[in-house]
Amino acid sequence: MQLIADLLMGLAAMAAAAYCLVLARRLKRFNQLENGMGGAIAVLSAQVDDMTRALEKAQMTASQSETQLRMLTERAEGGAEKLELLLASLHDLPDGHEPRRTVKRRRHRDSNLEAAE
């Protein structure tokens, strides 16, 4: 009985050793940089770095565009205020049906001035 138990223990130890060998090979292939998961992780890490740089550039460009847009908006608001004033002054003009009132100014001639020859 002791012999059978020793044989079973030896077989179990060999099976565990074979299982560990298979796992070690799989782990080695998993971590290879060229075609395993290690390579995929390295590629993804490089892509994340590239995307981070692109995002920083996009944020900088958006900030500059926002500044330019703010300046143009302020300029447009100033122009709109001027147009509102012009429109308000047009309300003071007579309608097309009413005759326009004209103001005639008379020039006073100074008799003391000599005419240029």
Side-chain angles (χ1 to χ4, degrees), residues 14-34:
M14 286 190 169
Y19 183 68
C20 286
L21 183 66
V22 169
L23 284 179
R25 287 183 184 168
R26 284 186 182 178
L27 187 60
K28 187 183 281 187
R29 277 187 289 163
F30 183 75
N31 288 330
Q32 285 179 347
L33 288 177
E34 289 145 8

Side-chain angles (χ1 to χ4, degrees), residues 38-117:
I41 291 171
V43 168
L44 287 174
S45 177
Q47 288 177 346
V48 166
D49 290 341
D50 291 342
M51 292 301 289
T52 302
R53 278 189 238 112
L55 179 63
E56 289 171 355
K57 284 182 183 179
Q59 286 174 338
M60 194 179 315
T61 303
S63 175
Q64 291 172 352
S65 297
E66 184 263 339
T67 303
Q68 289 177 346
L69 184 60
R70 185 178 308 270
M71 289 176 12
L72 288 173
T73 303
E74 289 172 359
R75 225 174 113 196
E77 286 175 353
E81 288 175 6
K82 288 179 183 177
L83 282 174
E84 287 174 0
L85 284 173
L86 285 173
L87 282 174
S89 67
L90 284 177
H91 289 294
D92 295 341
L93 292 177
D95 291 337
H97 304 295
E98 296 177 13
R100 291 184 96 179
R101 288 184 258 161
T102 57
V103 176
K104 293 184 181 179
R105 294 184 182 167
R106 296 183 187 189
R107 294 186 183 172
H108 297 287
R109 294 194 177 212
D110 197 2
S111 59
N112 296 335
L113 294 177
E114 295 179 18
E117 294 180 26

